[in-house]
Amino acid sequence: MYDLYAKILNILRLPEIIAQLTWAVIPFACIAALMVFVVIFLVLMERKFLAWLTVRKGPNRVGPNGFLQTFADAIKLLFKEDIMSEETNKLLFTIAPVIAFAPVMIIYGLMPFTEHLIAINIAVGLFLVFALSSLTTVGIVLAGWSSNNKYSLLGGMRSAAQAISYEIPLVIAVLSIAVLAGSLNLKEIVTAQSGGLFSWNIFPAFIGFIVLFICSIAEVNRVPFDLPEAESELVSGYNTEYSGMKFALFFLAEYAALFIMSVLISTLFLGGYLPPFNDYLSIILLDNIIKNQAIMDILIHLEQGFWLVAKTYTLLFLIIWIRGTLPRLRADQLMGFSWKFLLPLAFINLILTSIIKLAIQGY
Amino acid sequence: MKNAVNKTISGIIEIARGMATIMKHFFRPSITLEYPEKKPDLPPRFRGRLALLTNSDGTDACIGCKSCVKVCPCVDLIQIETSKDPETKKIVVEQFTIDIGRCIFCGNCTEICPKNAIVSTDEFELADYSRESLVFDKKALTLDPEKSQRLRDKKEKEVK
Amino acid sequence: MNKLIENSIKKDMLINVGPQHPSTHGVLRLILTLEGEIIKDTKPVIGYLHRGKEKLAESRTYFQYLPMVDRVDYLSGFFYQAALCYAAESIGEIKVPKRAEYIRLITMEFNRIASHLLWLGSFLLDLGATSPLFYVFREREKIITLFEELTGQRMMYNFYTYGGVKKDFPEGWIAKAIDLCKEMPKLFDEYEAIITKNPIVLERTQKTGILSKELGLNYGITGPNIRASGVNLDLRKSNTYSVYNETDFKTCLAQSGDSYARYIVRVQEMRESLKIVEQALKQIPGGTPEKLKVKKVNCNCNREECEYCGFDSKLAEKKINPMTFKLPIGEATAMIESARGIIACYLVSDGTAKPYRIKWRTPSFSAVQILPELIKNSPYSDLMPIFGSLDVVLPEVDR
């Protein structure tokens, strides 16, 4: 790919150094574009689904069937006045949304969306994903503290407590996947699941799937674990004082994290970009018709993307559905649930999967 | 231990039941009334903005008895100025002002009116930019004979 | 020096909730002292919605005051008008026809359901569940539409008058009401499927905000709140006003006195209210207005005890002229079991066209008083669920 890019620049008579410098930026530009697109669609999807679940119509004014509503909202947020009260810590107040947002963006680069569509393919991908996702909390705590608002402070504190208690079962649940795949590289984890529906990790590690699902909801502060922004108590929690673009960054980070967590779950447990059959649909159906290998490759590539998107959106729908149903937990109950219920479950899962792994492979 | 397992299982079942109930609504028609395009159906007894009726020959139905002023719970909401016609010795209503911005739409005045001259219309979109424009004088309140007859018919139908 | 250190590491935080907070059900201000997330002290500040309803009465005639009492509690306007009417009727010894009493009963019970429904929605919103709010509003809308057809307004009805009601049911109203009564229990089942056994709701509401019998009675808590603590106090049973003694219903009680018990009592009460309405719609003297009209023309006997043209099928004893309406000298108290508890209207008449003094006793006022006791030493997250479970309507507190 790089050769092609360098060649194009060469034709344009630009020195090679520019190609070398810009090449690293391109994936991130793509990731940022993907992220914004995904979030805009996700917000619209959530609003529409929630509206349908509550016998309403949802946004239907801007664009066909309200399709452009989130674009309008995003533009509105861009042009809004950036309000900062006198007593805030200006530096931290400005930095906090960036700290919350940046790690999520890097996680996007680590995800294997298809076999080749992965920006940073490193050996400890899984480890890095969780290291980064816990960084978001730092941003939220900073936001809560620097706002100099008591509601924000409480929201930030809750977020910190929540992140600490939920990270542990989360990581232990994911550990079982590392045991099963024998690798921390996300792509290898996906490849280890190839061979149809029944070789997905969800079967040996079903409990792990449940634990990870619940923990990831807590990780991205969604109902029923949306304590940091509990509206009925804390007004809007850590982002009470935020407005305009800074608020938009928090918003973006939250929904981007929600999406990427669903991608992660489907990567780890549901076979990622792999189809639920023994082979790719396009191979099964079109192998005899299309003889050209290049076209076949493109088709397979598209299909991989389709499977990942389908799995991710099923999970997202589940999360939205849960949001429509459940009330919020209390802070102490949330901790109790994590330490007394999820953590033992995660350990049980780890032991079970290890036994299964031993039984199958025999060493 | 057994207790905890039971609790977990029943909890999962109950959450699933709740989620299934929520999902039922996914397939039900929405109840939204898309307001500015579609207007609500108002019942005949609806109490909207007040209006004055006229007789079929175009004269005021109001006889200036000021009963409505006396039963109105808001002080000075309805203001009537009358004068005696020197020839016919009849009372002529010269000014009839209602401050709709302060009206509480209780319907006391429409009930007391001996000639049914003051009625509630179906009009409910009364938002405006200034308080002054919500003070309706006699000209603004009075309906033409045709509309008055229509309103009268409607009210009569409702009474029957 | 010690004091300086003590001050600088002050543990508690003063937090001011309201008057403009997303979930204070109006404009209540609470000054909380928190230690971490534990509430140590609460001071409710009321009066942001004070409109002087009691003083206003002294400068208005009885009929001018009547539409104003709807606004004391915007969610259950019928109850307040009823209380005022009963008080005035007992001073003036005005007899109320049976049919009017039945219409009052039907509207009051429907109003109770509408009020409880809205409570249910906002209570769950306080807990963090959003969907039930919309379902609840959908059902409430049906009741409100019925009210609109009957009275002409959705919330501020001004429908009762001294000695009866102002208008009869419109055509087809009774059939619609019966349909609604049949439809409602299924919808209540749906709410219960979502809420009643939901583990998170149970965790959040059980054993929180426990109101003991003695505490409740000392603070004058009434209505569903005290019934959830196991006190059998229902004026509809014990102090039968209107025609409640002709209908068959049971008082809903719970024993534990926590938020969950208050929820259970209210949901059961809605079902009981539906039963009352159903019975009343069948038993109403004269039947449907269409039938009554035809029978009245055919009967024409003008006897007092006749089913169709006698006293009991009228809407009011006699047409009262609002401008000359006066009550004799005297005083009376009317007590009513409203959706939130006991409303008492104390009315003193000095024989003029205006009341000498009106005093309202409102159930929400007591409920706000008890809040500091209930939320002491509970986490800040529990503040709103407990406050919500008490079903406080702020205009009723301030009047």
Side-chain angles (χ1 to χ4, degrees), chain A residues 50-56 149-151 153-155 157-158 223-227 230-236 321-333, chain C residues 13-18 20-23 34 36-37 124-132 134-135 138 194 198 200-201 203-204 206 208 379-385:
Chain A
L50 270 184
W52 288 335
L53 285 175
T54 51
V55 288
R56 287 177 294 133
N149 176 323
K150 283 166 185 169
Y151 295 125
L153 183 64
L154 279 175
M157 289 306 158
R158 281 181 181 189
V223 173
F225 308 107
D226 62 338
L227 289 169
E231 198 212 343
S232 59
E233 302 137 27
L234 297 182
V235 187
S236 187
W321 190 8
I322 286 173
R323 184 187 164 177
T325 317
L326 291 184
R328 184 181 303 124
L329 274 167
R330 207 170 58 207
D332 55 323
Q333 290 162 352
Chain C
M13 175 164 83
L14 209 67
I15 192 163
N16 183 31
V17 178
Q20 285 157 329
H21 187 276
S23 57
L34 296 187
E37 282 220 23
L124 284 160
L125 198 64
D126 287 341
L127 284 174
T130 41
S131 302
F134 295 99
Y135 306 152
R138 177 188 59 189
I194 301 170
N198 187 308
I200 297 180
V201 172
E203 283 284 310
R204 287 301 301 277
Q206 273 180 337
T208 62
Y380 178 61
S381 311
D382 271 347
L383 164 66
M384 285 308 158

Side-chain angles (χ1 to χ4, degrees), chain A residues 124-338:
Chain A
V124 287
L126 190 60
F127 181 73
L128 192 54
V129 165
F130 287 106
L132 286 168
S133 74
S134 49
L135 261 185
T136 309
T137 313
V138 177
I140 292 174
V141 175
L142 270 186
W145 185 78
S146 64
S147 302
N148 209 356
N149 176 323
K150 283 166 185 169
Y151 295 125
S152 305
L153 183 64
L154 279 175
M157 289 306 158
R158 281 181 181 189
S159 177
Q162 192 172 321
I164 289 166
S165 45
Y166 273 84
E167 219 111 90
I168 293 159
L170 183 89
V171 170
I172 290 168
V174 167
L175 206 57
S176 63
I177 300 301
V179 169
L180 281 174
S183 166
L184 284 175
N185 184 317
L186 285 166
K187 209 171 152 188
E188 272 174 36
I189 289 171
V190 175
T191 344
Q193 297 178 64
S194 58
L197 184 66
F198 292 101
S199 48
W200 288 358
N201 281 339
I202 188 171
F203 289 102
F206 182 72
I207 304 171
F209 172 72
I210 301 290
V211 171
L212 180 58
F213 187 68
I214 294 172
C215 288
S216 63
I217 295 176
E219 185 79 10
V220 294
N221 301 332
R222 298 278 303 180
V223 173
F225 308 107
D226 62 338
L227 289 169
E229 41 198 316
E231 198 212 343
S232 59
E233 302 137 27
L234 297 182
V235 187
S236 187
Y238 61 89
N239 57 29
T240 308
E241 293 285 329
Y242 278 89
S243 66
M245 202 52 218
K246 288 185 190 127
F247 172 74
L249 272 184
F250 271 121
F251 196 71
L252 199 66
E254 193 187 321
Y255 278 86
L258 174 64
F259 181 80
I260 208 65
M261 274 295 168
S262 307
V263 174
L264 187 72
I265 297 170
S266 33
T267 306
L268 296 183
F269 285 92
L270 303 174
Y273 51 75
L274 297 171
F277 313 105
N278 281 333
D279 216 335
Y280 291 103
L281 263 185
S282 35
I283 293 182
I284 299 168
L285 298 174
L286 305 170
D287 201 24
N288 298 328
I289 306 165
I290 301 166
K291 297 288 177 204
N292 191 335
Q293 192 54 43
I295 295 174
M296 212 59 214
D297 277 350
I298 291 170
L299 272 179
I300 288 172
H301 211 75
L302 286 176
E303 204 192 318
Q304 284 174 342
F306 166 75
W307 286 120
L308 187 79
V309 165
K311 285 165 190 170
T312 307
Y313 275 93
T314 316
L315 286 173
L316 283 173
F317 179 69
L318 206 60
I319 292 174
I320 294 170
W321 190 8
I322 286 173
R323 184 187 164 177
T325 317
L326 291 184
R328 184 181 303 124
L329 274 167
R330 207 170 58 207
D332 55 323
Q333 290 162 352
L334 184 113
M335 303 298 162
F337 183 64
S338 166

